Amino acid sequence: MAESQLASLVSRFRGCLIGALVGDCFGEPFQFIKSVQLKSVKELVHNLEADESKGDTKILLYTDDTEMRLSIEASLLKHKGFNAEDMANRFAKEYFANRNKRAYGGHVTKIFSAWSSKYMVDFFLPATLQFNGAGSYGNGGGMRIAPVALFMYKENSHKLKEISDKITRLTHTHELAILGAYLQALAVHLALNTAESPFPTDKFLQELTESMIYHEEETFGKCSQNPPSDSLKLYSQKLNAIKEFLARSDVEKEELVETLGNDVSAFGSIPISIYSFLRALTEINGLEGRNPYERTIMYAISLGGDTDTIAIMAGAIAGAYWGEEAIPQKWQQNCEGLSVTQKHADDLYDYVKTH
Ligand code: AR6
Ligand code: MG
């Protein structure tokens, strides 16, 4: 797709959710591999593209990331907004139906069990008890948040944050998980609303950074007697690091991972997902001939670590900007859950058009 041709809004809605789905399904096979190489990511993609449907194509399965994303979409559409009980029940129902298939996070499943009690009244309570009351800082909030940016397409970032926070708090109450999920939602929301070409990287990073500085101060306090320690400015600092990395041409994977992370924590995965999208706006060695969406997914996975979740988050941002057309048909058709994802994207688009 030529850089000057921006995708239509409906194509961006579909691009966002299908872009996320592909990231999850393509990232999943690399999830537990110690050292992922770009060469092996290319091999997976080449095999999949070369296959002429001889009957031996193995559909790539989605993980907990997509399972929970689909529940969020269904619940938002049904209730025309956030409904804690309905969303919690959908999360739990899907988990108990497929519990061995989707590789859920190590602790979040305790919350599903608590919700299933017939005495359950406060659906926000079980998450507050995780990790001795500290709450989870896993990336489970960020991995599933993309549809919220679509649902809130016409709203401002404060409204976006309100709903992102509520959905995240159902399972993750650590402030870094909540801020991280909001950062991911905002990145998708900004990409979706960007009508400039080429993509305005500096403006995008500046908006994300300003918003994170504001919310980090709001969350942790800006009182001068009690200045937040470095760790409490994690996201704005990592966004600054992204800007510096993008200005250099020689960044090694080790340095990136050491600074931005590539693990199951929100702060160790959301920044590197945003970086992957931005880095893939320009050519990447070894990925010549690939479009920016394809580069985003293949590059994000090649960084290793929590590959399905990093690729789902990078893919949602890339798809929201580049649109459905940038995602090769063959890639889409090899993913479990394509038709329900397409339907949810169209339903969310219809919802925002009429509200
Ligand atoms: N203290 C120590 N470790 C923590 C803490 C904490 N406060 N919070 C999280 N962890 P979980 P998720 C670690 O269970 O966020 C799937 O593979 C801890 O090791 O809340 O939904 C998905 O694809 C815990 O087991 O689940 C995602 O990649 C882990 O973070 C990921 O898991 C995950 O936190 C999402 O997991
Ligand atoms: Mg994961």
Side-chain angles (χ1 to χ4, degrees):
M1 183 172 49
E3 284 231 334
S4 56
Q5 288 175 319
L6 280 166
S8 67
L9 188 59
V10 65
S11 162
R12 286 163 167 237
F13 270 57
R14 279 180 159 226
C16 175
L17 300 189
I18 300 169
L21 175 71
V22 168
D24 189 22
C25 294
F26 280 44
E28 192 278 335
F30 299 94
Q31 179 166 212
F32 301 112
I33 293 178
K34 201 163 169 48
S35 172
V36 181
Q37 301 298 322
L38 184 58
K39 191 168 148 275
S40 28
V41 182
K42 284 164 74 173
E43 248 169 54
L44 173 104
V45 172
H46 287 161
N47 289 343
L48 188 143
E49 288 174 339
D51 186 84
E52 296 299 334
S53 301
K54 288 180 239 102
D56 55 355
T57 307
K58 207 166 147 261
I59 287 279
L60 298 169
L61 300 183
Y62 62 71
T63 76
D64 57 320
D65 304 41
T66 296
E67 189 155 271
M68 296 188 88
R69 171 182 68 72
L70 291 169
S71 290
I72 290 178
E73 291 154 12
S75 186
L76 288 176
L77 285 163
K78 173 142 199 280
H79 292 276
K80 300 185 171 27
F82 175 66
N83 178 302
E85 183 171 350
D86 179 69
M87 204 172 277
N89 283 333
R90 284 173 195 269
F91 286 160
K93 182 168 169 252
E94 293 301 322
Y95 168 68
F96 287 113
N98 299 296
R99 70 170 99 182
N100 298 321
K101 205 170 154 191
R102 307 293 187 196
Y104 276 83
H107 291 70
V108 70
T109 55
K110 287 188 210 160
I111 300 174
F112 304 146
S113 300
W115 285 338
S116 306
S117 160
K118 63 179 176 183
Y119 303 109
M120 177 50 51
V121 179
D122 179 1
F123 283 84
F124 288 97
L125 183 67
T128 66
L129 307 175
Q130 295 281 76
F131 299 95
N132 296 321
S136 171
Y137 55 58
N139 57 18
M143 72 186 186
R144 65 193 190 210
I145 207 70
V148 175
L150 306 188
F151 188 74
M152 301 301 279
Y153 168 68
K154 291 182 182 163
E155 306 292 345
N156 65 30
S157 60
H158 289 285
K159 292 254 170 65
L160 176 73
K161 186 163 190 304
E162 263 175 42
I163 188 161
S164 166
D165 288 3
K166 284 182 189 157
I167 293 175
T168 303
R169 275 187 196 284
L170 272 176
T171 50
H172 293 67
T173 61
H174 195 291
E175 295 297 351
L176 289 174
I178 294 165
L179 282 171
Y182 165 65
L183 173 59
Q184 170 63 12
L186 184 61
V188 175
H189 198 258
L190 283 177
L192 191 68
N193 278 284
T194 296
E196 287 161 64
S197 175
F199 188 81
T201 299
D202 287 348
K203 189 170 144 200
F204 174 78
L205 274 177
Q206 191 181 336
E207 287 196 37
L208 292 181
T209 308
E210 280 173 9
S211 189
M212 292 319 286
I213 288 174
Y214 176 87
H215 289 293
E216 283 170 346
E217 287 182 349
E218 185 192 55
T219 302
F220 300 119
K222 53 184 157 189
C223 162
S224 56
Q225 295 98 312
N226 181 22
S229 74
D230 279 358
S231 70
L232 305 183
K233 294 182 199 162
L234 255 187
Y235 290 107
S236 50
Q237 284 172 346
K238 289 196 179 196
L239 288 164
N240 285 334
I242 290 174
K243 194 169 178 190
E244 285 166 24
F245 285 140
L246 289 169
R248 283 170 46 193
S249 54
D250 60 343
V251 194
E252 294 293 333
K253 177 165 143 179
E254 291 67 29
E255 188 184 354
L256 274 177
V257 170
E258 196 183 322
T259 306
L260 302 179
N262 68 351
D263 57 39
V264 294
S265 68
F267 42 87
S269 56
I270 290 154
I272 206 163
S273 306
I274 293 171
Y275 174 79
S276 298
F277 160 67
L278 294 172
R279 177 63 191 84
L281 292 169
T282 55
E283 290 293 341
I284 293 175
N285 277 345
L287 292 177
E288 293 79 8
R290 295 285 174 186
N291 75 30
Y293 172 82
E294 297 170 77
R295 287 199 293 262
T296 302
I297 295 298
M298 295 172 79
Y299 178 69
I301 297 171
S302 77
L303 296 174
D306 193 1
T307 47
D308 55 328
T309 300
I310 292 170
I312 200 177
M313 295 193 290
I317 306 169
Y321 181 68
W322 295 109
E324 178 187 22
E325 296 81 1
I327 311 171
Q329 279 299 317
K330 198 110 198 179
W331 289 30
Q332 300 189 31
Q333 283 155 8
N334 269 282
C335 294
E336 180 196 16
L338 177 64
S339 52
V340 62
T341 294
Q342 287 168 329
K343 180 166 183 347
H344 283 185
D346 292 344
D347 290 349
L348 284 166
Y349 178 76
D350 290 343
Y351 174 83
V352 301
K353 278 278 149 200
T354 51
H355 287 80

